[in-house]
Amino acid sequence: MGEFKVHRVRFFNYVPSGIRCVAYNNQSNRLAVSRTDGTVEIYNLSANYFQEKFFPGHESRATEALCWAKGQRLFSAGLNGEIIEYDLQALNIKYAMDAFGGPIWSMAASPSGSQLLAGCEDGSVKLFQITPDKIQFERNFDRQKSRILSLSWRPSGTHIAAGSIDYISVFDVKSGSAIHKMLVDRQYMGVSKRKCIIWGVAFLSDGTVISVDSAGKVQFWDSATGTLVKNHLVANADVQSIAVSDQEDSFVVGTAEGTVFHFQLVSVTSNSSEKQWVRTKPFQHHTHDVRAVAHSPTALISGGTDTHLVIRPLMEKVEVKNYDAALRKITFPHRRLISCSKKKQLLLFQFAHHLELWQLGSTVATGKNGDTLPLSKDADHLLHLKTKGPENIICSCISPCGSWIAYSTASRFFLYRLSYERDNISLQRVSKMPAFLRSALQILFSEDSAKLFVASNQGSLHIIRLLEGSFKHLHTFQPQSGTVESMCLLAVSPDGNWLAASGTSAGVHVYNVKNLKLHCTVPAYNFPVTALAIAPSTNNLVIAHSDQQVFEYSIPDKQYTEWSRTIQKQGFHHLWLQRDTPITHISFHLKRPMHILLHDAYMFCIIDKSLPLPNDKTLLYNPLPPKNESDVIRRRTAHAFKISKIYKISLSTVSRFPRTT
């Protein structure tokens, strides 16, 4: 594996935001997740649960509702009273519309996907028509006395249920009138509470309305008569969320105690056609409130205050017992929040509203393999750069020489020049940025720090030459004809001649920076790209995909390398393919050209292309043979994959950088 010094960074105090809403789209098998800071993330469940897209947060956008509509359109609403539609290609907000009902607490799209309901603070339920370009207000339903906290359509589209404080209303969609008002019992553990909040409702095809409330109850109502049919006391605290399967044979609820309960519709007796709802499985995968749940055909999905997105598979629905049958807990973003200045040993940490610049500590001590070396100089916090305005930071980067910092929000791009004088550091902002640099999705400096590459949300790639305290625009690569796909990943060759860019789909384009033209396009693959890098000397492009496949593509020859063809022919080890976290970074060893370095959130791996590939009968996580073994035996037992799991990321350790392994 070679000898490395690994610097374990424990001063990146990154804390993810809590999850507020989740929305599952059965047609595309994608999951939308909104967090308490206004960030919205899109997970592709068919692509190994990869976070393929995200929309940055905003201080004034506290999202309270999230839903999909016809044509893969995503909407959110919140306490600022606006309904927002997201552009899933350009990765920005398409438009925001005021509903004129005060804060919006709930939202639901019709079964046909052509209409949208919004439940407001003033007690109004507003119906919008979804047109090809926007949404258009149609009418109000009968106003209620308190805020509308939850909404659900009947699958036939004829009625809706609306949860408020102390009661549930059933509306006729055609007339907009409330036909039933069902009062909820305020009793909680034998004590009458002052208020009972209806946190969630679900309207079934047979007319049953299921409600969950702040008294810890799951209740079943007959919408035709407005009467209570059945009552389940499931928690000593609020039941805050509910989601029903498409077949309406099971549903899931989340509680303020961190517990998720699964209900299933089962036959009363083995030979009976009569069925009843039974609480079958409680799950305790959260430490705090479960604010949102979703039900896919094969899994129960939950998220809440503890920031974890948990996917619990339904074993009876999983056909093949492979990694799809494993419990997943997603905590960290599937994108890089750290950039490195190798020459000055600097790390730039990205937070929602500020950047931190640190200098790594150093040691003069020596030791043997596995030793922990004491620091002779501690890490130094050099800079705290706070953003202005309510927008979250989308991306950031520090140049390899450590003299430039660039970052972007949704509407502004910032470039700073850094100067170092002894123990002091000065910062000078480059003013008068051009209009085309209004926002960026990805930023990257060339290895010599002379050029800056900027990927915009309109699919274009800008090349900027950096001068002393200023810049010059060299060229813009426009998106391919008829596409506005945003480029989310960039990689530049160490010699600065090649630029690789990957979008939200699986495509990778390679540009000739010297001749300023498109050089080639890597053959399309079915799974999105999670990381890419260009090797020095060979200019081979290494690409990692969300299904854990790794490809090596020769940029000069415009074809896959022989090593890549060999590994695709033999196939990766089954344990490698069963990993459930994506590779987020790829690098190389300058003195060992046959080595590829890569990592995900839980393991660090070196692939030695000079060694044979492991097959399924070989131990993938194979410890090195003892040093007293002969070179012949060591060579015979070794394979290409050297994996270490001792540097996994945790909430207190979110990065690791080169001490001895």
Side-chain angles (χ1 to χ4, degrees):
M1 189 171 186
E3 187 171 291
F4 295 87
K5 285 186 178 179
V6 178
H7 191 121
R8 301 196 72 172
V9 175
R10 290 186 170 93
F11 43 84
F12 182 23
N13 298 316
Y14 172 76
V15 179
S17 297
I19 294 174
R20 181 61 192 91
C21 309
V22 297
Y24 174 69
N25 187 317
N26 194 30
Q27 293 179 332
S28 63
N29 199 27
R30 282 173 169 80
L31 183 76
V33 176
S34 70
R35 296 187 179 267
T36 52
D37 66 349
T39 300
V40 174
E41 303 162 348
I42 311 293
Y43 292 84
N44 188 341
L45 305 193
S46 300
N48 205 11
Y49 298 85
F50 177 60
Q51 185 193 110
E52 63 181 6
K53 302 174 184 179
F54 90 102
F55 300 87
H58 193 286
E59 285 183 348
S60 67
R61 290 202 306 264
T63 304
E64 288 291 328
L66 193 67
C67 73
W68 295 91
K70 187 178 180 181
Q72 313 301 314
R73 296 173 67 176
L74 181 64
F75 296 89
S76 74
L79 300 183
N80 64 354
E82 292 181 338
I83 299 175
I84 295 171
E85 183 174 2
Y86 297 91
D87 189 326
L88 300 181
Q89 290 296 318
L91 297 185
N92 58 13
I93 291 177
K94 198 173 182 180
Y95 61 86
M97 175 182 289
D98 197 324
F100 296 103
I104 299 173
W105 293 94
S106 54
M107 189 169 57
S110 64
S112 64
S114 60
Q115 292 175 305
L116 192 69
L117 283 175
C120 304
E121 172 74 18
D122 64 0
S124 63
V125 178
K126 298 179 180 292
L127 182 66
F128 294 85
Q129 196 72 29
I130 300 175
T131 63
D133 298 322
K134 294 189 76 173
I135 59 172
Q136 185 175 343
F137 175 73
E138 193 167 323
R139 58 191 167 89
N140 284 319
F141 287 10
D142 288 348
R143 181 170 293 189
Q144 304 302 296
K145 293 181 180 179
S146 61
R147 63 181 65 147
I148 307 298
L149 293 164
S150 50
L151 287 167
S152 180
W153 288 79
R154 189 169 183 172
S156 62
T158 57
H159 297 84
I160 66 164
S164 299
I165 298 175
D166 291 335
Y167 63 89
I168 303 163
S169 301
V170 177
F171 293 90
D172 180 88
V173 173
K174 191 173 183 179
S175 65
S177 301
I179 58 175
H180 286 297
K181 184 177 288 187
M182 301 175 288
L183 293 176
V184 179
D185 187 4
R186 296 184 183 181
Q187 288 289 322
Y188 171 71
M189 303 292 288
V191 180
S192 180
K193 296 187 76 174
R194 186 172 61 181
K195 291 180 180 179
C196 186
I197 302 170
I198 315 302
W199 288 117
V201 289
F203 214 139
L204 305 185
S205 299
D206 63 1
T208 300
V209 174
I210 309 173
S211 66
V212 296
D213 57 43
S214 59
K217 300 190 299 291
V218 176
Q219 296 185 311
F220 298 82
W221 305 83
D222 186 339
S223 65
T225 60
T227 56
L228 179 65
V229 177
K230 198 170 184 180
N231 177 55
H232 287 269
L233 181 63
V234 299
N236 296 325
D238 296 38
V239 184
Q240 297 181 312
S241 49
I242 181 172
V244 182
S245 68
D246 286 345
Q247 292 75 27
E248 297 185 357
D249 57 356
S250 74
F251 68 89
V252 58
V253 299
T255 74
E257 298 171 323
T259 308
V260 172
F261 291 100
H262 186 207
F263 285 77
Q264 290 180 286
L265 191 62
V266 299
S267 300
V268 176
T269 61
S270 58
N271 298 322
S272 173
S273 60
E274 183 183 354
K275 294 185 176 183
Q276 65 178 5
W277 288 102
V278 176
R279 187 178 71 188
T280 56
K281 301 170 187 174
F283 305 118
Q284 187 79 42
H285 300 304
H286 297 273
T287 58
H288 295 76
D289 302 36
V290 180
R291 300 295 303 273
V293 292
H295 199 314
S296 79
T298 59
L300 307 178
I301 303 165
S302 56
T305 309
D306 65 1
T307 77
H308 301 303
L309 179 66
V310 177
I311 296 102
R312 172 88 188 193
L314 297 170
M315 298 305 294
E316 64 273 17
K317 300 293 180 71
V318 179
E319 295 181 2
V320 181
K321 299 300 186 287
N322 57 10
Y323 61 84
D324 286 332
L327 174 75
R328 294 166 186 260
K329 184 178 284 190
I330 301 172
T331 304
F332 299 103
H334 292 169
R335 61 184 188 278
R336 292 178 61 196
L337 300 175
I338 303 171
S339 58
C340 176
S341 167
K342 299 177 184 177
K343 294 179 181 178
K344 284 192 172 289
Q345 293 288 289
L346 301 175
L347 295 180
L348 183 69
F349 299 144
Q350 177 183 318
F351 297 85
H353 293 284
H354 74 275
L355 301 173
E356 290 184 6
L357 183 64
W358 288 75
Q359 181 142 38
L360 283 172
S362 58
T363 182
V364 295
T366 58
K368 60 181 184 297
N369 186 35
D371 285 353
T372 298
L373 307 180
L375 289 176
S376 56
K377 182 178 180 297
D378 290 333
D380 192 9
H381 187 183
L382 302 178
L383 180 68
H384 183 102
L385 183 59
K386 195 175 188 310
T387 63
K388 294 181 180 179
E391 297 177 329
N392 286 16
I393 297 173
I394 300 176
C395 57
S396 61
C397 193
I398 186 170
S399 63
C401 69
S403 298
W404 297 91
I405 287 178
Y407 75 90
S408 179
T409 66
S411 63
R412 300 185 72 184
F413 183 88
F414 298 87
L415 180 62
Y416 291 89
R417 173 77 173 176
L418 279 72
S419 300
Y420 304 87
E421 295 180 6
R422 296 181 182 177
D423 294 333
N424 297 322
I425 181 171
S426 61
L427 195 68
Q428 178 187 358
R429 181 181 167 188
V430 178
S431 58
K432 298 181 180 179
M433 302 303 293
F436 63 80
L437 278 182
R438 186 176 59 184
S439 178
L441 290 177
Q442 193 60 259
I443 307 167
L444 186 65
F445 289 92
S446 61
E447 194 70 25
D448 60 3
S449 302
K451 293 186 181 70
L452 175 65
F453 304 98
V454 180
S456 76
N457 58 13
Q458 299 301 318
S460 54
L461 290 171
H462 307 292
I463 303 179
I464 310 296
R465 181 183 295 280
L466 299 173
L467 307 171
E468 188 70 31
S470 63
F471 66 92
K472 180 183 178 182
H473 176 231
L474 293 181
H475 187 71
T476 295
F477 292 113
Q478 297 296 341
Q480 300 303 303
S481 177
T483 65
V484 290
E485 182 187 31
S486 300
M487 296 297 168
C488 301
L489 291 172
L490 298 177
V492 63
S493 61
D495 59 15
N497 292 333
W498 306 103
L499 176 68
S502 171
T504 52
S505 67
V508 178
H509 304 293
V510 180
Y511 299 90
N512 188 319
V513 177
K514 188 177 287 187
N515 297 332
L516 300 177
K517 65 179 182 179
L518 178 66
H519 176 69
C520 64
T521 298
V522 179
Y525 187 64
N526 294 333
F527 289 83
V529 177
T530 64
L532 70 167
I534 302 175
S537 68
T538 62
N539 282 326
N540 289 339
L541 174 64
V542 179
I543 308 168
H545 292 269
S546 65
D547 63 344
Q548 312 300 353
Q549 295 287 340
V550 178
F551 295 89
E552 186 182 49
Y553 186 84
S554 172
I555 293 177
D557 297 337
K558 298 184 182 181
Q559 63 180 2
Y560 289 113
T561 64
E562 191 61 36
W563 177 84
S564 186
R565 295 176 190 275
T566 301
I567 202 168
Q568 289 303 314
K569 184 177 180 180
Q570 177 177 324
F572 283 88
H573 197 284
H574 70 280
L575 292 179
W576 175 268
L577 297 176
Q578 288 175 13
R579 292 169 29 255
D580 60 3
T581 53
I583 294 168
T584 53
H585 186 216
I586 302 171
S587 188
F588 305 94
H589 196 308
L590 291 175
K591 296 180 180 179
R592 298 175 185 266
M594 297 302 287
H595 285 189
I596 301 173
L597 288 69
L598 37 81
H599 75 81
D600 61 17
Y602 299 100
M603 69 90 199
F604 174 74
C605 176
I606 297 176
I607 300 178
D608 188 343
K609 296 190 294 180
S610 66
L611 293 178
L613 299 170
N615 56 44
D616 282 350
K617 296 180 180 179
T618 308
L619 289 174
L620 179 65
Y621 304 103
N622 189 16
L624 289 175
K627 286 191 174 182
N628 55 10
E629 293 282 4
S630 67
D631 289 342
V632 175
I633 295 176
R634 288 170 60 84
R635 193 77 177 173
R636 189 185 304 152
T637 57
H639 60 67
F641 285 72
K642 304 297 182 291
I643 298 172
S644 172
K645 289 189 172 184
I646 63 174
Y647 304 112
K648 69 179 183 180
I649 297 177
S650 67
L651 280 174
S652 60
T653 308
V654 188
S655 174
R656 51 245 183 266
F657 268 85
R659 242 158 116 161
T660 311
T661 59

